[in-house]
Amino acid sequence: MNRPVTDIRAGDETEAPAAPRTARSAFRLPRAVEPLVARRGGGDGDGDASAPPPSRALALSDLQPRETGLFDAAIRWAYRMGVPGSVLSAPLRKPAAPRLRGTVASPLAGDRAAGVALRAGHLQVAGVRTPLTKVDLRAAATLAPPLARAVHGFTWLRDLGASAPRSQCAAVSGRLLSAWLAANAEPGRGAAWTVEHAGLRLLAWLVHAPLILSGEGARHRADLFAAIETTARWLDRKVTGESDRLAAAIGWGALVAAGLLLPDGKPRRLFAEAGLLKALGELVCDDGGVLSRSPLDQAGAIELLAELRACYAAVGRDEPAALSAMLDLLVPALLTLRMGDRGLANWQGAGAIGAARVDNLVEASGVRARALNAGRHWGYQRIRAQRGVLVMDAAPPPRAKDARHGCASTLAFEFSHESTRIIVNCGGAAFAGALIPSRIEQGLRGTAAHSTLVLDGTNSTAVLINGQIGKGVGEVDILRDRIERRGRKALKLDGSHNGYVARFGLVHRRRLALAEEGTELVGEDILEPAARSGKRGKIGFAIRFHLGPGVDPILAKDGRGAGLTLPDGSRWQFRLGRADEAVTLTVEDSLWVDGQGRPHATRQLVIEGLADRGGGTFPWLLKKVG
């Protein structure tokens, strides 16, 4: 719809402003929009990376297994058919004794605090400390998903190794290994025997075997190698049928590591390399983002490939070129979500992964690259203006087969200035069952848990159980542009989605313009009728702006704005533009989940009222004032 340009005005900064004077913003948002890309988003860069250069782009041939001759191809086929690796490697001699062919120097850093807690008798996962004596290690036990991943994936080995020298950790790791093996003597069903957990466990055992077997842990050698072989054989059979793409990649990656590090492993390695490259091709889109669109999954894929490279290095082999090329794509896409504090924004169920972990991921990958600012399929748009960083979700939610903790977050955004997060999303659904109650998991995935517009209290895309997503947003148009007015420049995002068209006949359009100084964000949320003539009547709406931790809002006396005091002492002002007087601004409670799965009580600003079914425009301004 073409409507008259709407000015957005700001008032003076005071802790409790009364009828403030207004100051005109320098920017107006143009109405005419020609979307660059429909359905999945896209656009120009803003001076950083906007698309992978040709040298980093994956060709189809990169995801094919390395061909070293017909003999290796025959070995791969025979192993897939069930011929034992020892027979294929050395048919005229006995199978080699179990041992490791190399010691892996993992580039990934563990959580030292969690390791210290483990040595003190507590398993610390997602902010919860559980006494080891109360952890049920059986596969059939009902554990919260974050705890089940740690218990059955042995991810705690990395944390334990970061807490003390190997000799001081062997007793703890040995006791836990023995207890787990006693509770899970044979492969079966349950959380211990999913492809993802079995893959994590096998990779952890192979990489951290020296930690388990150091000193007095040597007595666990036979049990450990027997468990490694049992788990590897189970994965050989099960990984090909895994439908979860990240889980499949983890399973294949663990088998590659087993093929590299165990004797007579060449057949398994050839078999698993082919499976891993196929799984990566199905997991990652062409701009480097995983199809679940989750920062947690993106980080998990980088961790997997970084450890696999270390496994190749441990035995003196070069990794397939596709692994390096894949890391070259994954890292810039991960950095798309990096905010001013160098941690990641909350999207698709993740908590705010901290700066230290992000730095370690980048270092472990060996990739030095700028952030991808406009991901066509990854779906996130990033603008950096001096010390201001804006990240917007400009794509539909992941497809049902790709979603793991799918969220209805289309057109939501996060904004930070310097090291302070000002506007955020709640996040944290992936940690449900620990400090995050399971009963609010679906709520944290809903539209209202994100900083965007909610129509009639409904989600823009249906949020289903088990992390799944239903019908709703199917198309997103996005335009990325530069604008200039009165000698001042800004970067603009203009996006729209059709998530409310089927139910209410309205398209949600959002326009955001960040001044080049990074201290002024102008926004408009617009409801446009999808048909030529809109429906009659009114419909309730709410535009939510979840505030970052430590941001203290105080409403203006005129009810049209709020003063924000940030933890660093700076002051910002939020103001409504010209709109119906029935539209109000209120302050409500909210929460924000950090990268450790810990919830923090926060506040949110809510613009709410009744919108005409024929459409409406709701402008606002966020500006630093002191």
Side-chain angles (χ1 to χ4, degrees):
M1 293 180 64
N2 291 326
R3 296 175 181 271
V5 171
T6 302
D7 292 331
I8 300 178
R9 300 173 181 271
D12 290 338
E13 68 277 17
T14 55
E15 293 194 357
R21 299 193 309 273
T22 57
R24 185 183 299 272
S25 170
F27 301 108
R28 295 183 179 185
L29 297 175
R31 292 289 175 183
V33 176
E34 293 295 332
L36 281 176
V37 178
R39 288 180 169 77
R40 300 299 287 179
D44 304 338
D46 61 0
D48 292 326
S50 59
S55 62
R56 289 218 317 267
L58 277 178
L60 185 61
S61 59
D62 291 329
L63 296 175
Q64 301 300 317
R66 290 189 289 194
E67 291 298 344
T68 55
L70 292 176
F71 183 67
D72 283 354
I75 290 177
R76 184 186 302 118
W77 176 84
Y79 190 82
R80 185 168 61 247
M81 293 297 102
V83 180
S86 59
V87 173
L88 293 170
S89 296
L92 300 180
R93 64 166 171 82
K94 295 190 300 182
R99 63 182 179 87
L100 290 181
R101 298 179 58 235
T103 299
V104 181
S106 175
L108 301 175
D111 184 338
R112 185 178 182 277
V116 170
L118 194 61
R119 291 169 58 211
H122 293 80
L123 188 60
Q124 181 171 300
V125 179
V128 176
R129 281 194 176 194
T130 307
L132 292 175
T133 55
K134 294 185 178 181
V135 177
D136 192 341
L137 303 178
R138 294 173 304 152
T142 302
L143 301 176
L147 185 59
R149 179 183 173 89
V151 167
H152 299 302
F154 277 67
T155 57
W156 50 265
L157 276 170
R158 186 186 302 159
D159 301 332
L160 184 62
S163 68
R166 289 177 183 171
S167 59
Q168 298 180 29
C169 300
V172 175
S173 61
R175 284 198 303 271
L176 279 174
L177 174 67
S178 296
W180 189 91
L181 292 176
N184 301 275
E186 297 292 335
R189 298 182 178 181
W193 297 103
T194 66
V195 168
E196 181 171 359
H197 290 169
L200 289 170
R201 181 169 68 249
L202 178 59
L203 187 58
W205 283 343
L206 291 166
V207 171
H208 299 287
L211 176 69
I212 300 172
L213 301 177
S214 295
E216 63 183 72
R219 68 177 184 270
H220 301 295
R221 179 183 180 86
D223 291 341
L224 176 62
F225 278 104
I228 286 174
E229 185 59 28
T230 297
T231 304
R233 288 178 179 175
W234 185 87
L235 280 172
D236 284 338
R237 300 190 306 271
K238 299 294 185 180
V239 68
T240 53
E242 178 57 54
S243 60
D244 184 295
R245 296 178 179 188
L246 179 60
I250 291 171
W252 286 116
L255 288 176
V256 170
L260 288 166
L261 294 168
L262 297 177
D264 299 333
K266 181 178 178 179
R268 177 176 279 146
R269 173 178 62 79
L270 293 173
F271 167 67
E273 282 179 342
L276 175 62
L277 297 183
K278 182 177 183 292
L280 289 174
E282 295 175 346
L283 172 69
V284 181
C285 55
D286 60 7
D287 57 12
V290 295
L291 293 176
S292 68
R293 305 190 60 229
S294 166
L296 279 177
D297 296 344
Q298 191 83 5
I302 294 173
E303 288 177 342
L304 172 66
L305 298 187
E307 284 209 319
L308 279 183
R309 291 179 73 178
C311 292
Y312 279 98
V315 296
R317 287 190 63 89
D318 294 330
E319 73 270 15
L323 297 192
S324 296
M326 190 63 73
L327 281 169
D328 286 342
L329 289 174
L330 287 165
V331 171
L334 181 80
L335 297 180
T336 301
L337 309 181
R338 198 168 212 178
M339 306 305 293
D341 62 0
R342 300 182 63 79
L344 303 185
N346 282 5
W347 298 107
Q348 295 301 318
I353 297 174
R357 184 180 176 192
V358 177
D359 288 340
N360 178 241
L361 286 170
V362 174
E363 182 179 359
S365 73
V367 176
R368 299 293 179 266
R370 296 175 296 180
L372 176 71
N373 285 331
R376 183 183 301 249
H377 299 290
W378 182 220
Y380 298 104
Q381 296 282 331
R382 184 177 193 267
I383 291 176
R384 184 178 185 93
Q386 293 192 22
R387 298 179 180 180
V389 177
L390 171 72
V391 177
M392 181 181 185
D393 181 354
R399 294 173 297 181
K401 65 180 180 180
D402 300 318
R404 287 166 68 91
H405 304 282
C407 296
S409 56
T410 308
L411 297 191
F413 75 97
E414 291 207 11
F415 175 66
S416 69
H417 187 264
E418 296 184 346
S419 62
T420 301
R421 299 177 186 239
I422 301 176
I423 305 296
V424 299
N425 301 308
C426 295
F431 299 103
L435 288 179
I436 304 295
S438 297
R439 67 179 182 276
I440 68 170
E441 184 263 351
Q442 282 186 266
L444 291 175
R445 294 164 49 217
T447 305
H450 299 82
S451 293
T452 188
L453 178 143
V454 180
L455 202 54
D456 199 31
T458 63
N459 294 318
S460 57
T461 300
V463 173
L464 309 178
I465 62 173
N466 298 324
Q468 294 301 296
I469 284 290
K471 295 181 179 179
V473 177
E475 295 183 2
V476 176
D477 295 338
I478 185 70
L479 174 71
R480 186 183 180 101
D481 200 5
R482 296 176 182 271
I483 59 176
E484 183 174 355
R485 181 173 173 81
R486 298 178 185 173
R488 296 184 64 198
K489 299 178 181 179
L491 290 162
K492 184 193 72 172
L493 295 174
D494 189 325
S496 65
H497 75 71
N498 66 343
Y500 291 119
V501 170
R503 286 166 286 175
F504 307 115
L506 292 170
V507 171
H508 175 210
R509 180 177 298 281
R510 166 164 272 183
R511 295 189 173 109
L512 302 175
L514 180 61
E516 64 178 356
E517 300 86 2
T519 56
E520 182 176 326
L521 178 62
V522 180
E524 284 182 328
D525 284 285
I526 305 163
L527 293 173
E528 300 175 343
R532 288 189 176 181
S533 58
K535 299 179 180 180
R536 296 181 180 181
K538 300 280 187 178
I539 187 170
F541 75 93
I543 309 172
R544 298 183 179 275
F545 301 86
H546 297 272
L547 301 177
V551 178
D552 183 24
I554 299 180
L555 279 178
K557 291 184 178 179
D558 66 352
R560 307 289 295 174
L564 306 178
T565 302
L566 274 54
D568 62 4
S570 62
R571 291 180 294 170
W572 289 64
Q573 189 176 63
F574 183 92
R575 292 292 300 173
L576 295 181
R578 291 175 178 172
D580 191 326
E581 293 299 322
V583 175
T584 62
L585 179 67
T586 59
V587 175
E588 298 180 6
D589 291 332
S590 183
L591 66 83
W592 176 81
V593 182
D594 65 21
Q596 299 295 321
R598 297 170 299 199
H600 300 258
T602 57
R603 307 282 275 168
Q604 61 176 308
L605 300 175
V606 184
I607 301 172
E608 55 187 342
L610 293 175
D612 195 311
R613 296 289 290 266
T617 300
F618 310 100
W620 48 267
L621 171 68
L622 178 64
K623 183 176 183 179
K624 185 177 182 181
V625 292

